[in-house]
Amino acid sequence: MIYREYIRRPHLISTEARTSAEPAAIKAYHVLEHMIVTLELAPASFVTEGTLIDRLGLGRTPVREAIQRLAWEGLLDVRPRAGIAIAPLHPGDWLRVLDARRGVEVVLARSAARFVTREAADLFHEAALAMQKAVISGNVLAFIQADKALDEALALAADNPFAARLAAPLQTHSRRFWFRYKADTGLAESAEHHVALIRSILDGDEDGAAKDAKRLMALLRGHAETAATR
């Protein structure tokens, strides 16, 4: 397996365990983000704050905070007296997202290779293992979660909160487009590119990490161009 040397970390805390320990507002954000990315909340549909509170069971304040954050990221649009609109999905916008994302991903990759810590390395190992399991089982939802975990590891390793805050919403939008237009056929190929990036980062290879980030963005851009012509 291409992942083998990167997944020997039996002591790692599971994603489920970390989620259960999160503060309510952060948990609400992660759950709502996942529902939007996986289209459980359909693009261009409307919901109410009360409906989301009932579905999440986390209370008004944490759900409201999550809604505000997701609105700032462009995934929701809060409309007084009309409800909450889920962001639509226009295929051409995927290209715009990736054009904005490419440069910051290279910055993060280089910085991660330079500054990666043991804590961040453990998170990379865990993400690689989760991706491997998702590819083997064909579990798209698990792959989405592993991809999110990898992005969080990248943000931690890079030690650049300014770049990480810029990248995070772009990564989420891109993940949503990928789920809509490529999830049925793209698991193994996407995993190969992600693991190549992880390998370069853990090897401390800044130039290699930058090249792998560019290759990953090029792969996604190819998918986006195909989606835009449908």
Side-chain angles (χ1 to χ4, degrees):
M1 286 290 181
I2 58 177
Y3 308 87
R4 187 171 297 137
E5 68 266 41
Y6 297 102
I7 62 176
R8 295 171 182 168
R9 295 294 187 275
H11 61 284
L12 292 176
I13 300 172
S14 69
T15 301
E16 291 79 7
R18 289 203 311 273
T19 302
S20 65
E22 288 174 340
I26 296 176
K27 184 176 181 180
Y29 169 80
H30 284 155
V31 173
L32 280 177
E33 182 198 56
H34 185 72
M35 292 169 69
I36 294 169
V37 166
T38 60
L39 313 185
E40 185 176 346
L41 293 175
S45 66
F46 279 82
V47 294
T48 65
E49 182 181 278
T51 298
L52 296 179
I53 291 169
D54 289 342
R55 291 181 70 170
L56 271 64
L58 291 173
R60 182 174 300 277
T61 297
V63 172
R64 183 167 289 175
E65 290 179 11
I67 290 170
Q68 291 172 346
R69 180 176 171 185
L70 289 162
W72 179 83
E73 293 179 352
L75 292 162
L76 299 176
D77 183 14
V78 180
R79 302 179 183 181
R81 297 180 296 279
I84 300 168
I86 311 303
L89 271 178
H90 302 300
D93 285 342
W94 195 4
L95 293 168
R96 297 181 178 91
V97 168
L98 292 171
D99 286 345
R101 183 183 172 191
R102 182 177 184 272
V104 72
E105 289 289 346
V106 173
V107 170
L108 289 172
R110 280 190 173 277
S111 296
R114 187 183 313 137
F115 300 120
V116 64
T117 62
R118 173 59 187 272
E119 178 186 4
D122 283 348
L123 294 176
F124 280 121
H125 286 296
E126 186 178 3
L129 176 59
M131 278 194 171
Q132 178 193 35
K133 291 180 176 178
V135 171
I136 292 171
S137 64
N139 189 330
V140 175
L141 294 179
F143 188 90
I144 285 287
Q145 291 175 326
D147 185 66
K148 172 73 172 177
L150 191 156
D151 288 339
E152 291 174 345
L154 184 64
L156 176 64
D159 193 28
N160 186 335
F162 302 100
R165 288 169 186 160
L166 178 62
L170 296 172
Q171 291 164 343
T172 301
H173 280 281
S174 183
R175 196 174 295 115
R176 185 173 182 239
F177 279 108
W178 181 88
F179 184 85
R180 168 63 180 84
Y181 294 107
K182 191 60 183 177
D184 56 337
T185 58
L187 289 186
E189 186 180 29
S190 181
E192 290 281 353
H193 282 69
H194 282 90
V195 170
L197 175 60
I198 291 173
R199 181 180 295 113
S200 292
I201 290 171
L202 296 184
D203 286 345
D205 182 356
E206 293 183 42
D207 290 339
K211 290 177 182 177
D212 288 327
K214 290 177 182 178
R215 290 189 188 104
L216 177 58
M217 291 302 102
L219 173 70
L220 293 175
R221 203 175 201 289
H223 297 333
E225 288 171 350
T226 299
T229 59
R230 289 179 179 176

